[in-house]
Amino acid sequence: MPVDIAVVGSCNLDLVVNVEHIPLVGQTVLGGDLQQIPGGKGANQAVAAARLGKSVAMVGRVGDDENGTFLQTILEENGVNTEYLLRTASIPTGVALIAVQSDGDNVIVVSPGANSELSPEDVMDALPILEAKMVLLQAEIPIETVLSAARVAKGTVIWNPAPAPEETIPLELLDLVDVLIPNQRELELLTGIGTINSLEKIIETVKTLPCSSTIVTLGAQGAVVMANNEAVHIPAPEISPIDTTAAGDSFCAAIAESLVDGKDLVEAAQWAVQVGAATTLAAGAQPSLPTSEEVAQRLKNG
Ligand code: RIB
């Protein structure tokens, strides 16, 4: 039976330390106890969409090691189909080093490991990608693999270009993407346009992209939806975040979930800003991803 959403992307073990302040270059700081948490933008988006009630398959690669088994088990416990989660014998599972400071902001360094072995051939025949209503992509796997998945997808292609790829993006990929979801920084890097620091500039920049629809996430400022040459700003709920890790991931999952349900992009973004905000009210990547009921509860209490 085809799934609602196929996620093609990364699985990482997050090594997380809470710190008072993120260190400056050359500075050493002492933090709290080390936590080992399931993460990776791809796996986070898969788990988030499953917790929001959709059927989901994860297409990716982990190492043939304990961390890979741990990440696969967590995906399965959340009801995510892992038939196309492949193992790479010679390379370890991806790892992310994360420091979270007291206001919830973070810095992340990813060692991609097996994620970088997910090849165009791995994805071009993967049934969930061919059959799913939505195909959700990020940028922690090789760009040619993202392109290959976008080429074979029959459903709506959603691309969250995070982290912003260093290499030039093939124009064909932007053409194949139905909904692009960058944050402000990713939009800057993707377009090569300098600092984008106003709503007007965001709108002007998005208009230069060939994608049919774009949603730019703005953190505490919400999001801007650009579709049919019209821009709509969606404000975010006012909250005091604990940990912003994976807020962008649950936002993307909520967009895919809403589009499966037939909502339009503005309705989808109105829900997604709430899901993203609720995610920041709990700690850790996958542990923080809310169900639909938890979104309302957390925002009421937070
Ligand atoms: O978006 C958050 C994720 O980015 C973390 O879980 C980490 O693994 C990195 O991929």
Side-chain angles (χ1 to χ4, degrees), residues 10 12 14 38-41 44 96 98 108 110 140 245-246 249 285:
S10 59
N12 296 330
D14 290 356
K41 293 183 195 301
N44 294 346
I98 305 183
I108 305 181
V110 175
E140 284 185 336
T245 311
D249 297 329

PDB file of all heavy atoms in Angstrom, residues 10 12 14 38-41 44 96 98 108 110 140 245-246 249 285, ligand 1:
ATOM      1  N   SER A  10      18.622  12.057   5.655  1.00  0.00           N
ATOM      2  CA  SER A  10      19.660  11.642   6.598  1.00  0.00           C
ATOM      3  C   SER A  10      19.109  11.079   7.896  1.00  0.00           C
ATOM      4  O   SER A  10      18.011  11.418   8.340  1.00  0.00           O
ATOM      5  CB  SER A  10      20.507  12.872   6.960  1.00  0.00           C
ATOM      6  OG  SER A  10      19.653  13.861   7.528  1.00  0.00           O
ATOM      7  N   ASN A  12      20.895  10.723  11.762  1.00  0.00           N
ATOM      8  CA  ASN A  12      22.086  11.000  12.569  1.00  0.00           C
ATOM      9  C   ASN A  12      21.843  10.643  14.019  1.00  0.00           C
ATOM     10  O   ASN A  12      20.712  10.785  14.517  1.00  0.00           O
ATOM     11  CB  ASN A  12      22.436  12.501  12.557  1.00  0.00           C
ATOM     12  CG  ASN A  12      22.818  13.011  11.189  1.00  0.00           C
ATOM     13  OD1 ASN A  12      23.365  12.274  10.370  1.00  0.00           O
ATOM     14  ND2 ASN A  12      22.541  14.273  10.930  1.00  0.00           N
ATOM     15  N   ASP A  14      22.460  12.297  17.374  1.00  0.00           N
ATOM     16  CA  ASP A  14      22.810  13.632  17.867  1.00  0.00           C
ATOM     17  C   ASP A  14      23.523  13.514  19.217  1.00  0.00           C
ATOM     18  O   ASP A  14      22.995  12.909  20.161  1.00  0.00           O
ATOM     19  CB  ASP A  14      21.543  14.488  18.041  1.00  0.00           C
ATOM     20  CG  ASP A  14      20.912  14.879  16.711  1.00  0.00           C
ATOM     21  OD1 ASP A  14      21.495  14.565  15.653  1.00  0.00           O
ATOM     22  OD2 ASP A  14      19.848  15.522  16.732  1.00  0.00           O
ATOM     23  N   PRO A  38      18.207  10.480  18.995  1.00  0.00           N
ATOM     24  CA  PRO A  38      17.989  10.244  17.563  1.00  0.00           C
ATOM     25  C   PRO A  38      17.680  11.535  16.815  1.00  0.00           C
ATOM     26  O   PRO A  38      16.860  12.338  17.276  1.00  0.00           O
ATOM     27  CB  PRO A  38      16.784   9.288  17.531  1.00  0.00           C
ATOM     28  CG  PRO A  38      16.115   9.449  18.859  1.00  0.00           C
ATOM     29  CD  PRO A  38      17.175   9.872  19.831  1.00  0.00           C
ATOM     30  N   GLY A  39      18.375  11.736  15.688  1.00  0.00           N
ATOM     31  CA  GLY A  39      18.190  12.969  14.915  1.00  0.00           C
ATOM     32  C   GLY A  39      18.470  12.736  13.447  1.00  0.00           C
ATOM     33  O   GLY A  39      18.334  11.624  12.929  1.00  0.00           O
ATOM     34  N   GLY A  40      18.901  13.809  12.782  1.00  0.00           N
ATOM     35  CA  GLY A  40      19.076  13.784  11.319  1.00  0.00           C
ATOM     36  C   GLY A  40      17.840  14.417  10.715  1.00  0.00           C
ATOM     37  O   GLY A  40      16.715  14.054  11.074  1.00  0.00           O
ATOM     38  N   LYS A  41      18.069  15.370   9.806  1.00  0.00           N
ATOM     39  CA  LYS A  41      16.912  16.122   9.272  1.00  0.00           C
ATOM     40  C   LYS A  41      15.897  15.200   8.603  1.00  0.00           C
ATOM     41  O   LYS A  41      14.690  15.377   8.749  1.00  0.00           O
ATOM     42  CB  LYS A  41      17.382  17.209   8.315  1.00  0.00           C
ATOM     43  CG  LYS A  41      18.170  18.300   9.041  1.00  0.00           C
ATOM     44  CD  LYS A  41      18.582  19.424   8.146  1.00  0.00           C
ATOM     45  CE  LYS A  41      19.664  20.281   8.810  1.00  0.00           C
ATOM     46  NZ  LYS A  41      19.274  20.869  10.077  1.00  0.00           N
ATOM     47  N   ASN A  44      14.159  13.044  11.333  1.00  0.00           N
ATOM     48  CA  ASN A  44      13.290  13.924  12.145  1.00  0.00           C
ATOM     49  C   ASN A  44      11.993  14.219  11.387  1.00  0.00           C
ATOM     50  O   ASN A  44      10.897  14.202  11.969  1.00  0.00           O
ATOM     51  CB  ASN A  44      13.986  15.258  12.456  1.00  0.00           C
ATOM     52  CG  ASN A  44      15.207  15.098  13.345  1.00  0.00           C
ATOM     53  OD1 ASN A  44      15.408  14.042  13.944  1.00  0.00           O
ATOM     54  ND2 ASN A  44      16.024  16.142  13.428  1.00  0.00           N
ATOM     55  N   ALA A  96      25.749  13.999  14.621  1.00  0.00           N
ATOM     56  CA  ALA A  96      25.702  15.467  14.694  1.00  0.00           C
ATOM     57  C   ALA A  96      26.148  15.904  16.090  1.00  0.00           C
ATOM     58  O   ALA A  96      25.689  15.343  17.089  1.00  0.00           O
ATOM     59  CB  ALA A  96      24.281  15.961  14.416  1.00  0.00           C
ATOM     60  N   ILE A  98      25.995  18.784  18.712  1.00  0.00           N
ATOM     61  CA  ILE A  98      25.075  19.918  18.905  1.00  0.00           C
ATOM     62  C   ILE A  98      25.303  20.562  20.269  1.00  0.00           C
ATOM     63  O   ILE A  98      25.366  19.873  21.292  1.00  0.00           O
ATOM     64  CB  ILE A  98      23.600  19.445  18.809  1.00  0.00           C
ATOM     65  CG1 ILE A  98      23.358  18.712  17.475  1.00  0.00           C
ATOM     66  CG2 ILE A  98      22.637  20.617  18.976  1.00  0.00           C
ATOM     67  CD1 ILE A  98      21.927  18.260  17.246  1.00  0.00           C
ATOM     68  N   ILE A 108      25.225  23.339  15.142  1.00  0.00           N
ATOM     69  CA  ILE A 108      25.274  21.915  14.785  1.00  0.00           C
ATOM     70  C   ILE A 108      26.406  21.676  13.791  1.00  0.00           C
ATOM     71  O   ILE A 108      26.536  22.412  12.804  1.00  0.00           O
ATOM     72  CB  ILE A 108      23.941  21.458  14.136  1.00  0.00           C
ATOM     73  CG1 ILE A 108      22.747  21.770  15.054  1.00  0.00           C
ATOM     74  CG2 ILE A 108      23.982  19.976  13.781  1.00  0.00           C
ATOM     75  CD1 ILE A 108      21.385  21.334  14.499  1.00  0.00           C
ATOM     76  N   VAL A 110      27.701  18.441  11.489  1.00  0.00           N
ATOM     77  CA  VAL A 110      27.315  17.074  11.101  1.00  0.00           C
ATOM     78  C   VAL A 110      28.489  16.340  10.465  1.00  0.00           C
ATOM     79  O   VAL A 110      29.174  16.884   9.589  1.00  0.00           O
ATOM     80  CB  VAL A 110      26.127  17.106  10.106  1.00  0.00           C
ATOM     81  CG1 VAL A 110      25.801  15.700   9.595  1.00  0.00           C
ATOM     82  CG2 VAL A 110      24.889  17.716  10.769  1.00  0.00           C
ATOM     83  N   GLU A 140      21.104  16.795   3.456  1.00  0.00           N
ATOM     84  CA  GLU A 140      22.185  16.133   4.194  1.00  0.00           C
ATOM     85  C   GLU A 140      22.601  14.828   3.505  1.00  0.00           C
ATOM     86  O   GLU A 140      23.272  13.998   4.095  1.00  0.00           O
ATOM     87  CB  GLU A 140      21.768  15.863   5.653  1.00  0.00           C
ATOM     88  CG  GLU A 140      21.810  17.119   6.501  1.00  0.00           C
ATOM     89  CD  GLU A 140      21.530  16.878   7.971  1.00  0.00           C
ATOM     90  OE1 GLU A 140      20.878  15.883   8.318  1.00  0.00           O
ATOM     91  OE2 GLU A 140      21.949  17.713   8.790  1.00  0.00           O
ATOM     92  N   THR A 245      16.168  22.878  18.205  1.00  0.00           N
ATOM     93  CA  THR A 245      16.562  21.767  17.320  1.00  0.00           C
ATOM     94  C   THR A 245      15.320  21.084  16.736  1.00  0.00           C
ATOM     95  O   THR A 245      14.388  20.768  17.477  1.00  0.00           O
ATOM     96  CB  THR A 245      17.385  20.713  18.103  1.00  0.00           C
ATOM     97  OG1 THR A 245      18.404  21.372  18.824  1.00  0.00           O
ATOM     98  CG2 THR A 245      17.999  19.680  17.167  1.00  0.00           C
ATOM     99  N   ALA A 246      15.325  20.876  15.432  1.00  0.00           N
ATOM    100  CA  ALA A 246      14.272  20.127  14.715  1.00  0.00           C
ATOM    101  C   ALA A 246      12.977  20.914  14.519  1.00  0.00           C
ATOM    102  O   ALA A 246      12.008  20.362  13.991  1.00  0.00           O
ATOM    103  CB  ALA A 246      13.974  18.778  15.371  1.00  0.00           C
ATOM    104  N   ASP A 249      12.389  20.973  10.990  1.00  0.00           N
ATOM    105  CA  ASP A 249      12.008  19.647  10.485  1.00  0.00           C
ATOM    106  C   ASP A 249      10.519  19.384  10.711  1.00  0.00           C
ATOM    107  O   ASP A 249       9.833  18.879   9.820  1.00  0.00           O
ATOM    108  CB  ASP A 249      12.846  18.561  11.184  1.00  0.00           C
ATOM    109  CG  ASP A 249      14.323  18.714  10.875  1.00  0.00           C
ATOM    110  OD1 ASP A 249      14.648  19.179   9.767  1.00  0.00           O
ATOM    111  OD2 ASP A 249      15.158  18.386  11.745  1.00  0.00           O
ATOM    112  N   ALA A 285      16.050  16.475  19.366  1.00  0.00           N
ATOM    113  CA  ALA A 285      15.429  16.419  18.041  1.00  0.00           C
ATOM    114  C   ALA A 285      14.174  15.549  18.069  1.00  0.00           C
ATOM    115  O   ALA A 285      13.051  16.057  18.203  1.00  0.00           O
ATOM    116  CB  ALA A 285      16.443  15.913  17.013  1.00  0.00           C
TER     117      ALA A 285
HETATM  118  O1  RIB B   1      17.478  19.793  12.078  1.00  0.00           O
HETATM  119  C1  RIB B   1      18.062  19.242  13.227  1.00  0.00           C
HETATM  120  C2  RIB B   1      18.984  18.132  12.851  1.00  0.00           C
HETATM  121  O2  RIB B   1      20.074  18.652  12.111  1.00  0.00           O
HETATM  122  C3  RIB B   1      19.617  17.408  14.004  1.00  0.00           C
HETATM  123  O3  RIB B   1      18.822  16.355  14.482  1.00  0.00           O
HETATM  124  C4  RIB B   1      20.965  16.983  13.453  1.00  0.00           C
HETATM  125  O4  RIB B   1      21.104  15.606  13.327  1.00  0.00           O
HETATM  126  C5  RIB B   1      21.120  17.709  12.123  1.00  0.00           C
HETATM  127  O5  RIB B   1      20.887  16.867  11.064  1.00  0.00           O
END
